[in-house]
Amino acid sequence: MMRTPVRKVALAAMLAMVGVATSSQAQTAVADANGNALPDCYQYAKVQRDAPAHIQTELFVVVDQTTPFNGQLRQSLAQQIAPLLAPGNALSVFAFSAYTQGFYTQRLVHARMDQPMAQAQRDGTGKAQLKQLDQCLQFQQQGIQKLAQEALIKSLGQGGASISKSDVLGSLKDLSGPIRSSTAQRKVVLLASDMLENSSISSFYQGRTVRLVNPEAEMKKVQAQQLLSDFAGAQVYVLGAGLIDGDSATKGVYRDPKVLGALRAFWGQYFEASHAKLQEFGTPDLLGRVQ
């Protein structure tokens, strides 16, 4: 049996829920108590859930606005995000840089997608409600992609070389709070950052390049400043490690494997002590896929 195409007028009404169009009906479902930027489709269709709503995987995209990402790395970041924008999952996008430069850690968007209705419940639900539910679920897929795109454009379009400091450690401690409090069964952190601390705590630079850090010595600084966090078992993927200003515009930039190895060793120790697992450390791009 052919499925009836989703009517444009119905989608237009739901697009208002993320500010794309205007609809008085849609405004009632915007931003629930958890700050969800997408409509609750079961509430929209006035259908009872057959099980409590839960998040399977929440993807936390964290963008360091001090890192000079080129077009290829920006595209790679977007491609890594796309597969996890699936029904039952949630997306949160954060941006951070330095506390003293007029930039600060902020959540740009939080959006959760509903699970499709089980067939047993569909069999006992009216056609009109099913139509509304299916339209809304399709809209969620379009809406979360748009929200992700807009958040990336905003976070990547600011900062860069204009920010002289980078509070990576302090920002990660701030971000660990919402990650820890997420109710998702699985938490994945995609951290787009050069991972080069440059603050009053420590500096990973030497002149205009990356210095060879001593992981153990840096961990002692972290512990002394009480900057360890609790990421509640999150899986962490890093994209952009070791990038410095000028890399994005210069071909053939040499990165000393010892320097990058020491940088990775430090962050591996940091995340392990902060109850997270460093899955992959892209220097600068990820070789695998975020899963």
Side-chain angles (χ1 to χ4, degrees), residues 12-276:
M14 285 184 285
L15 285 170
M17 298 177 188
V18 289
V20 181
T22 58
S23 168
S24 58
Q25 177 187 13
Q27 299 306 315
T28 60
V30 181
D32 62 17
N34 296 315
N36 183 18
L38 291 174
D40 182 315
C41 287
Y42 286 82
Q43 180 184 13
Y44 176 79
K46 297 181 174 60
V47 178
Q48 292 292 324
R49 300 177 188 275
D50 58 353
H54 67 277
I55 300 172
Q56 292 182 332
T57 298
E58 182 160 2
L59 173 63
F60 298 88
V61 181
V62 180
V63 178
D64 179 352
Q65 294 181 299
T66 70
T67 303
F69 294 104
N70 62 18
Q72 181 178 348
L73 288 174
R74 292 180 183 214
Q75 183 178 10
S76 177
L77 177 60
Q79 289 173 342
Q80 293 287 355
I81 293 171
L84 288 179
L85 303 183
N89 289 356
L91 168 73
S92 289
V93 181
F94 294 85
F96 76 90
S97 53
Y99 298 131
T100 60
Q101 301 291 310
F103 294 87
Y104 50 88
T105 303
Q106 57 180 322
R107 179 154 67 180
L108 303 178
V109 69
H110 170 69
R112 177 184 59 79
M113 298 180 67
D114 288 305
Q115 290 273 18
M117 183 182 287
Q119 188 59 49
Q121 187 180 6
R122 289 184 68 89
D123 292 341
T125 304
K127 290 183 179 180
Q129 288 177 301
L130 286 177
K131 183 177 180 180
Q132 282 194 316
L133 179 66
D134 291 343
Q135 288 174 345
C136 185
L137 291 173
Q138 181 174 340
F139 164 74
Q140 279 191 344
Q141 187 67 58
Q142 298 173 2
I144 200 169
Q145 292 172 0
K146 178 177 176 61
L147 290 166
Q149 180 184 39
E150 291 177 344
L152 287 183
I153 290 172
K154 182 176 181 179
S155 60
L156 293 169
Q158 301 175 349
S162 64
I163 306 174
S164 60
K165 296 292 184 180
S166 182
D167 290 293
V168 181
L169 288 164
S171 298
L172 287 177
K173 185 168 185 178
D174 290 343
L175 290 162
S176 68
I179 294 172
R180 183 174 60 253
S181 63
S182 168
T183 60
Q185 295 177 352
R186 187 170 72 108
K187 304 170 186 182
V188 177
V189 179
L190 176 53
L191 180 51
S193 171
D194 56 20
M195 306 305 289
L196 300 176
E197 180 76 8
N198 186 22
S199 68
S200 60
I201 306 302
S202 184
S203 176
F204 291 0
Y205 290 93
Q206 185 173 18
R208 297 183 61 84
T209 189
V210 185
R211 73 176 175 87
L212 179 64
V213 301
N214 181 319
E216 289 71 27
E218 296 301 327
M219 279 297 293
K220 289 181 180 179
K221 295 178 186 177
V222 170
Q223 293 166 340
Q225 296 295 323
Q226 299 182 337
L227 286 174
L228 287 176
S229 306
D230 181 3
F231 291 95
Q235 298 169 298
V236 179
Y237 295 79
V238 173
L239 184 150
L243 274 178
I244 57 176
D245 188 36
D247 280 4
S248 58
T250 305
K251 294 183 178 180
V253 175
Y254 176 73
R255 295 182 178 85
D256 189 332
K258 291 188 299 183
V259 170
L260 295 180
L263 185 65
R264 189 198 189 288
F266 164 72
W267 286 111
Q269 291 181 26
Y270 166 84
F271 283 116
E272 182 178 5
S274 296
H275 308 124

